[in-house]
Amino acid sequence: MKRILTLFLLAACLLSCTVPQKEVKLPESLEDLEGHTVAVVGGSSTEILISQYPGVEVIRIGLGELAIAVQSGQADFGMMQEVQFDANHLEEKGLKKCLTGYQKGVSGLAFRQDDTLHCNLFNRFLEEFKASGEYDRWNNDWIHRADSMSLAMCPAPEEGEEYPVGITLSFPFVFLTDDAVSGMEIDLMNRFCAQNGLCPEYQVVEFPALIPSLTAGKIDVVLSHLQITEERAQQVLFSEPYYEGAACCFCRDPEAPAPKRSLTQALKDSVKANLLDNDHWKILLDGLLVTLEISLFALLLAILLGIIFCYFRMRRSRWISGFMKIFTDTIRGIPVLVILMIMFYVVFAKSQVTGTLIAVCSFGLFYGAGFSELFRSGMLSVDKGQWEAGAALGLHKLQVFRLIVLPQALRQIIPVFKGEVISLVKSTSVVGYVAVIDLTFAGSIIRSRTFDAFFPFILISIIYIILSRLIGRTLDALERRVYKTK
């Protein structure tokens, strides 16, 4: 506990520190960005635009890290939609616009290319929405009102055809309040679904994974202020535009007064912004429960698969043993994130299996292959004479294995097994790539709203440290019990 408290104090020190920034000349055009580092959202239209300038060093990150990258000096400039800059009050964080009104574009819903039915339905709804005059009021309220977070929304229909909708968090378009999805685009989609007998199921997906999720059939539509471009139109079917906006370039404001906060005040402000405001702690708690759920069931599956793989690996048949060796070596040689993506976008692409279950299967398979070799090495460490001695005592093979061989093998397995279990829990931090809101992704959600550079990372790290310690202590107790077994 003392170490954890020390880590908190260190985090507070980082929060209260100011990082010296180099002076940058304010650009008058995009050409002036050459020779500088620019942070953009990976896969966004701003990335496509800035990539046309070979003299610009591009940093591709998530929306929640854009302001952080500029504040910390990792990037000289950042790019985002003007409405996002204003809605998140980034001027209060010492940032200012330096180029505005460029890359004007329109956004539409993205459907699969063969889904002309829903695309035509939305176009008809949008036409009626604009003709009624409601569109102008809706657009003005969400974009220009300071209290847009508290606006009354059209409730999502609870009955109708299930309609998976891919979204990415980006205030004021989409954000979370009280465990519910809200925002300008959510209000629009709820209105559309209510009129057409659809029941939207919102799935939070990382922005670069939205179109792959759509083309793979995991979602039916992308709702994420996706700008209509020729490149994207070759992969998806766009609706008529429902939003028009422009991007802006921003940098650190050298004239902004440096915040003067004590160490204690900095920590209090961070706790309030990242945990208490808008019940952010509930998002973390839900993410923690998802992490524990995936870890537990993946571990059970990995143990089961490890035993099965080990059994076939130790068969006397050279063909069976050789095939199993090639199979386990192949699985162990592929990064677990790649396995997760293959399972999500290829193996289960056309199924209705949830991302959580796919994550359990992926981690269970990956660590099951590793456990099989661990179990095999433990079994081989027991001398063959132990089997013969058990048979001489009149025990059958199952009794010899359970009473004599297994306890000795466990003494060799558990020390390494403990590290593998902890590694499994920490590896689940990548499940956000398949639309699963785990502990790490929950931290990303909070960062996308607070633009806090350190606190969410430190808090998540501390939670993982506590989980690792608890798992280690539990397996230590099991190890001591095994060593006491005669």
Side-chain angles (χ1 to χ4, degrees), residues 60-123:
R60 297 166 177 84
I61 51 180
L63 177 65
E65 287 77 35
L66 279 182
I68 298 172
V70 177
Q71 286 175 318
S72 63
Q74 293 179 340
D76 300 324
F77 301 95
M79 287 186 170
M80 64 169 56
Q81 293 288 315
E82 284 190 55
V83 64
Q84 294 170 332
F85 185 94
D86 295 329
N88 287 285
H89 307 289
L90 294 185
E91 289 183 353
E92 299 175 3
K93 298 182 180 293
L95 302 173
K96 73 172 185 178
K97 300 176 187 176
C98 51
L99 281 177
T100 60
Y102 73 89
Q103 199 197 21
K104 294 182 179 180
V106 293
S107 302
L109 296 188
F111 301 86
R112 286 190 297 275
Q113 290 186 331
D114 59 348
D115 190 10
T116 56
L117 172 62
H118 289 100
C119 184
N120 291 335
L121 287 175
F122 180 79
N123 289 338

Side-chain angles (χ1 to χ4, degrees), residues 359-373:
V360 169
C361 295
S362 301
F363 289 105
L365 177 63
F366 180 81
Y367 282 92
F371 285 170
S372 68
E373 290 301 307

Side-chain angles (χ1 to χ4, degrees), residues 162-445:
E162 293 183 358
Y163 197 53
V165 180
I167 58 175
T168 187
L169 299 179
S170 174
F171 188 81
F173 299 101
V174 178
F175 55 90
L176 294 180
T177 57
D178 299 327
D179 300 329
V181 184
S182 304
M184 175 182 180
E185 293 180 324
I186 301 299
D187 186 28
L188 181 68
M189 177 57 68
N190 288 348
R191 293 170 185 264
F192 165 66
C193 290
Q195 181 174 311
N196 292 277
L198 302 174
C199 182
E201 295 182 349
Y202 296 109
Q203 299 181 18
V204 180
V205 184
E206 292 282 3
F207 187 84
L210 283 170
I211 291 182
S213 297
L214 177 68
T215 55
K218 304 305 294 185
I219 55 178
D220 288 341
V221 62
V222 170
L223 176 71
S224 186
H225 57 281
L226 199 65
Q227 286 199 358
I228 301 174
T229 64
E230 293 182 3
E231 294 83 358
R232 290 170 177 168
Q234 295 177 1
Q235 302 182 59
V236 300
L237 176 64
F238 277 109
S239 70
E240 292 296 320
Y242 65 85
Y243 172 76
E244 180 177 356
C248 74
C249 182
F250 63 93
C251 63
R252 194 169 184 268
D253 187 357
E255 299 179 359
K260 297 181 179 179
R261 297 183 300 174
S262 64
L263 185 104
T264 304
Q265 187 60 43
L267 184 58
K268 287 182 179 179
D269 292 344
S270 295
V271 171
K272 180 178 182 299
N274 293 279
L275 291 178
L276 304 181
D277 289 351
N278 300 311
D279 291 333
H280 285 158
W281 65 271
K282 291 183 179 180
I283 301 176
L284 276 179
L285 179 60
D286 291 340
L288 174 60
L289 294 177
V290 171
T291 293
L292 294 176
E293 178 186 5
I294 294 175
S295 300
L296 176 60
F297 288 104
L299 176 61
L300 295 177
L301 178 61
I303 293 174
L304 176 61
L305 292 178
I307 293 173
I308 295 174
F309 294 162
C310 177
Y311 171 76
F312 287 105
R313 181 72 176 85
M314 298 185 69
R315 292 293 297 270
R316 293 183 179 180
S317 172
R318 184 178 302 176
W319 291 101
I320 296 177
S321 177
F323 171 78
M324 190 53 60
K325 183 180 186 305
I326 294 174
F327 176 78
T328 55
D329 287 348
T330 301
I331 296 298
R332 293 167 63 196
I334 303 174
V336 66
L337 175 58
V338 176
I339 292 179
L340 180 65
M341 302 291 273
I342 291 174
M343 297 285 276
F344 187 79
Y345 291 114
V346 180
V347 178
F348 294 102
K350 302 301 181 181
S351 69
Q352 298 299 318
V353 179
T354 64
T356 300
L357 183 55
I358 292 175
V360 169
C361 295
S362 301
F363 289 105
L365 177 63
F366 180 81
Y367 282 92
F371 285 170
S372 68
E373 290 301 307
L374 178 60
F375 297 159
R376 178 173 170 270
S377 63
M379 296 293 294
L380 293 177
S381 67
V382 180
D383 190 89
K384 293 183 179 180
Q386 300 293 322
W387 291 92
E388 297 172 354
L393 293 173
L395 302 175
H396 55 72
K397 288 187 176 181
L398 184 59
Q399 289 177 316
V400 174
F401 173 77
R402 184 173 62 86
L403 299 175
I404 300 176
V405 176
L406 182 60
Q408 297 181 59
L410 286 177
R411 292 170 188 166
Q412 306 297 324
I413 292 172
I414 289 182
V416 181
F417 180 77
K418 178 171 62 177
E420 290 295 306
V421 173
I422 294 174
S423 177
L424 187 155
V425 175
K426 292 187 292 185
S427 295
T428 60
S429 61
V430 301
V431 296
Y433 284 93
V434 293
V436 178
I437 304 179
D438 69 318
L439 179 60
T440 302
F441 198 4
S444 298
I445 292 174

Side-chain angles (χ1 to χ4, degrees), residues 3-180:
R3 294 178 181 176
I4 295 175
L5 181 60
T6 302
L7 193 54
F8 257 121
L9 293 176
L10 176 61
C13 291
L14 292 173
L15 288 167
S16 62
C17 292
T18 57
V19 180
Q21 305 290 328
K22 67 179 182 180
E23 293 292 334
V24 294
K25 181 181 178 180
L26 296 182
E28 297 180 357
S29 64
L30 292 179
E31 286 77 7
D32 294 337
L33 296 178
E34 295 194 8
H36 294 284
T37 303
V38 179
V40 295
V41 176
S44 66
S45 55
T46 53
E47 180 200 358
I48 298 173
L49 174 68
I50 202 62
S51 297
Q52 298 174 6
Y53 298 86
V56 177
E57 181 181 351
V58 181
I59 299 179
R60 297 166 177 84
I61 51 180
L63 177 65
E65 287 77 35
L66 279 182
I68 298 172
V70 177
Q71 286 175 318
S72 63
Q74 293 179 340
D76 300 324
F77 301 95
M79 287 186 170
M80 64 169 56
Q81 293 288 315
E82 284 190 55
V83 64
Q84 294 170 332
F85 185 94
D86 295 329
N88 287 285
H89 307 289
L90 294 185
E91 289 183 353
E92 299 175 3
K93 298 182 180 293
L95 302 173
K96 73 172 185 178
K97 300 176 187 176
C98 51
L99 281 177
T100 60
Y102 73 89
Q103 199 197 21
K104 294 182 179 180
V106 293
S107 302
L109 296 188
F111 301 86
R112 286 190 297 275
Q113 290 186 331
D114 59 348
D115 190 10
T116 56
L117 172 62
H118 289 100
C119 184
N120 291 335
L121 287 175
F122 180 79
N123 289 338
R124 187 184 311 159
F125 157 78
L126 187 61
E127 182 180 359
E128 296 173 354
F129 191 39
K130 290 181 177 180
S132 67
E134 282 292 303
Y135 172 85
D136 293 331
R137 183 189 61 79
W138 165 83
N139 186 73
N140 184 70
D141 285 349
W142 281 106
I143 297 300
H144 299 294
R145 283 184 55 170
D147 61 342
S148 59
M149 181 176 285
S150 59
L151 283 174
M153 286 200 347
C154 173
E158 297 182 357
E159 296 181 356
E161 178 188 351
E162 293 183 358
Y163 197 53
V165 180
I167 58 175
T168 187
L169 299 179
S170 174
F171 188 81
F173 299 101
V174 178
F175 55 90
L176 294 180
T177 57
D178 299 327
D179 300 329

